[in-house]
Amino acid sequence: MAKSSSVIKDVIDIVKTKETAQPEFHQAVEEVLTTLEPTVAKHPEFVKAKIYERIVIPDRAILFRVPWVDDTGEVQVNRGFRVEFNNAIGPYKGGLRFHPSVNLGILKFLGFEQIFKNALTTLPMGGGKGGSDFDPKGKSDDEVMRFCYSFMRELYRHIGPNRDVPAGDIGVGGREIGYLYGYYKKIVNEHTGVLTGKGLEYGGSLIRPEATGYGTVYFAAEMLATRGNDFSGKRVAISGSGNVSQYAIEKVNQLGGIPITASDSNGTIIDESGIDTRKLAYLLELKNNRRGRIKEYAQEHKVKYYEGKSVWEVIKDEGIKVDIALPCSTQNELNEATAQGLVTAGCYCVSEGANMPSNPEAIKIFQNNGILFGPAKAANAGGVAVSGLEMSQNSMRLMWSREEVDAKLLGIMKSIHKTCLDNAEAYGAKGDYLTGANIGGFIKVANAMLSYGIL
Ligand code: NDP
């Protein structure tokens, strides 16, 4: 055991020493590898082939410049990235993020997580992630279009339907995917499944926009069922108001829960009477068409708005009662203090819609307090799973119905839930979804890597 511990510790230390100034990547590697400890003793073949050392290094990371001209005629320059992390079990697959905070370390954390998440879906997809420090907020449609064209002018040579298939993420929704795909199609002169999240008219899948939010709620429902519980009449706190949050709110309503919060990077609203179907329609129009701020929801519906505060800070500071929490905006939005605030609020289930929204201290608080905790790579895998189904439909040149895709999504989320529990139990961590998810995803990828020899 002493030897096995040093394998994991050494890899973490090397990553921290060699890949400096990438705190989010360090955090993701440490979180995953620490929970892989029980695999070291059981799989000496992984140790011998140095799978642990190899899996933390991307196959390649591409960095490129993205020059474009704004509406005033001034030249703007952004950084573009694509991290192709691991294609052991299928083509690289993972979203593109456009946000000012984007850098190589953040994309490596997201790409690394994506390897295990994609393996959990049961579909043949490797892990990748990309994006730019471009901020679509406040830009005109024409500016976003010119930026997307410039971004694709370089990215096109690195991607392909059997090679690397990007999708959306923060700041990349239907509008951006349309511009990116249109430009790819123009220069490559091929209509193929090279991006997912496409519009329904040009190869998109029904339920893809809904998939991440729905999947996060399905996963929570599975966890609740293990304790004989469900969403009916439960107060649900959801952060963000983008793609994942919107459809998490929709599914919570469908399952009889009461979504009481939403936010954006400026502030939080608390709607005690619930964000019902009618108010959700307003939110979708506000965020997706008018590209407005959450503050306007508070004005329209006469509810409380907390400027500059996250959902989790408001719950803690105002003592708001919550049964279930779905963090759906960004990484590290929950820390020790706000996680403790959720415990005090009476929360007993957390399902992560965003990627790595809980920092390590927050996760400890959840686990130590017996909270059902669904980690991102399991709980939000519904998005990439339906992206995988979009790829299948594109290859087969057909389109499944809404009901078919939703049924497949539900089946995949149930299967991921079972994989987590089975692996947690098999490796001595019964009921620990975090360990189960990491080990479940890892074993599949590690075995595939082993089959290829030393590459
Ligand atoms: P969107 O861009 O549609 O929405 C993001 C939401 O989070 C917005 O409300 C945004 O507010 C808020 N937000 C973003 N950054 C911050 C920040 N630093 N502080 C406070 N609020 C912030 O993105 P998605 O809904 O697509 O993605 C949300 C999360 O889900 C991300 O972690 C993403 O990686 C993850 N995810 C997404 C998937 C998908 O299919 N889209 C799949 C799996 C995971 P504002 O508008 O003010 O910036």
Side-chain angles (χ1 to χ4, degrees):
M1 198 65 186
K3 181 168 183 288
S4 55
S5 292
S6 75
V7 171
I8 297 290
K9 188 178 169 305
D10 288 354
V11 177
I12 295 170
D13 286 348
I14 289 169
V15 166
K16 286 185 176 171
T17 313
K18 297 228 179 229
E19 331 258 333
T20 50
Q22 298 183 355
E24 293 86 1
F25 180 55
H26 298 171
Q27 185 182 331
V29 167
E30 188 155 18
E31 182 233 278
V32 171
L33 289 197
T34 307
T35 59
L36 296 183
E37 188 62 53
T39 65
V40 174
K42 264 200 181 176
H43 296 279
E45 69 279 17
F46 294 164
V47 178
K48 184 159 181 278
K50 300 225 161 140
I51 297 288
Y52 302 94
E53 287 84 343
R54 283 153 61 192
I55 208 163
V56 297
I57 303 175
D59 289 349
R60 66 195 65 82
I62 301 146
L63 164 64
F64 51 98
R65 74 175 166 274
V66 191
W68 56 283
V69 180
D70 70 18
D71 286 347
T72 69
E74 191 177 334
V75 175
Q76 301 287 341
V77 187
N78 287 97
R79 280 164 175 71
F81 306 85
R82 185 69 185 166
V83 179
E84 296 182 333
F85 221 115
N86 188 303
N87 68 353
I89 65 165
Y92 305 106
K93 181 90 198 84
L96 297 171
R97 176 175 292 190
F98 292 169
H99 191 271
S101 64
V102 163
N103 58 37
L104 186 59
I106 287 186
L107 294 177
K108 279 174 65 187
F109 123 60
L110 290 163
F112 183 67
E113 288 279 304
Q114 198 84 41
I115 304 171
F116 310 104
K117 179 191 308 194
N118 293 2
L120 283 172
T121 64
T122 70
L123 303 175
M125 299 181 290
K129 200 84 187 188
S132 173
D133 58 358
F134 173 74
D135 186 359
K137 267 207 291 286
K139 304 290 189 304
S140 70
D141 285 352
D142 282 350
E143 289 177 323
V144 171
M145 179 179 76
R146 287 195 291 274
F147 173 81
C148 288
Y149 286 180
S150 181
F151 186 83
M152 188 53 87
R153 203 171 294 141
E154 174 57 34
L155 186 70
Y156 86 94
R157 68 186 86 245
H158 307 290
I159 61 177
N162 297 309
R163 183 171 172 181
D164 184 354
V165 185
D169 190 78
I170 291 178
V172 179
R175 173 183 62 171
E176 289 75 17
I177 292 288
Y179 294 145
L180 290 164
Y181 186 70
Y183 198 76
Y184 177 89
K185 186 175 70 59
K186 187 81 186 164
I187 52 180
V188 177
N189 198 21
E190 275 180 6
H191 209 308
T192 56
V194 71
L195 290 176
T196 58
K198 299 187 291 297
L200 288 180
E201 305 79 7
Y202 59 93
S205 174
L206 287 157
I207 300 286
R208 177 59 190 91
E210 295 89 338
T212 309
Y214 278 18
T216 302
V217 177
Y218 287 151
F219 195 87
E222 287 300 302
M223 292 196 293
L224 289 167
T226 65
R227 294 190 184 167
N229 208 344
D230 61 27
F231 269 94
S232 187
K234 305 299 176 343
R235 289 164 61 88
V236 185
I238 297 168
S239 62
S241 50
N243 172 263
V244 180
S245 320
Q246 292 169 7
Y247 290 102
I249 292 172
E250 181 165 285
K251 186 52 73 178
V252 167
N253 271 309
Q254 287 171 8
L255 298 186
I258 310 162
I260 56 165
T261 68
S263 67
D264 60 22
S265 52
N266 291 110
T268 289
I269 60 109
I270 304 287
D271 188 342
E272 284 289 343
S273 62
I275 306 171
D276 60 16
T277 311
R278 184 182 56 83
K279 293 180 206 167
L280 177 60
Y282 171 87
L283 186 71
L284 263 64
E285 164 65 21
L286 173 71
K287 284 293 172 183
N288 303 347
N289 298 335
R290 288 180 19 226
R291 300 188 188 274
R293 309 307 298 160
I294 199 71
K295 187 182 194 168
E296 295 168 56
Y297 178 104
Q299 287 155 355
E300 176 77 13
H301 299 288
K302 314 261 179 299
V303 299
K304 273 201 161 174
Y305 173 69
Y306 299 85
E307 175 79 22
K309 281 194 163 188
S310 74
V311 166
W312 318 116
E313 288 165 337
V314 175
I315 288 170
K316 176 174 78 65
D317 295 347
E318 305 293 319
I320 290 163
K321 192 185 160 325
V322 166
D323 296 298
I324 298 160
L326 308 175
C328 294
S329 56
T330 195
Q331 64 270 6
N332 292 326
E333 54 178 295
L334 273 156
N335 57 25
E336 187 171 7
T338 48
Q340 190 58 55
L342 277 176
V343 174
T344 308
C347 176
Y348 46 78
C349 176
V350 176
S351 187
E352 295 187 323
N355 282 310
M356 208 167 74
S358 315
N359 78 4
E361 293 75 30
I363 295 175
K364 266 196 208 99
I365 299 272
F366 297 145
Q367 293 183 328
N368 291 344
N369 284 279
I371 289 182
L372 290 163
F373 173 68
K377 67 174 70 61
N380 74 25
V384 74
V386 175
S387 274
L389 300 179
E390 182 173 330
M391 290 164 71
S392 305
Q393 293 170 82
N394 291 162
S395 298
M396 292 189 290
R397 303 261 190 269
L398 52 74
M399 196 169 176
W400 291 325
S401 70
R402 227 185 131 74
E403 292 70 28
E404 269 176 296
V405 181
D406 197 18
K408 286 188 202 308
L409 169 63
L410 179 59
I412 289 171
M413 297 315 295
K414 281 176 182 276
S415 145
I416 295 173
H417 180 263
K418 184 170 181 319
T419 301
C420 291
L421 286 185
D422 289 352
N423 278 286
E425 184 155 10
Y427 285 86
K430 194 164 186 253
D432 176 350
Y433 288 94
L434 182 64
T435 297
N438 287 340
I439 293 182
F442 170 75
I443 297 284
K444 181 173 177 184
V445 177
N447 277 327
M449 289 172 72
L450 214 52
S451 313
Y452 302 134
I454 309 301
L455 283 174

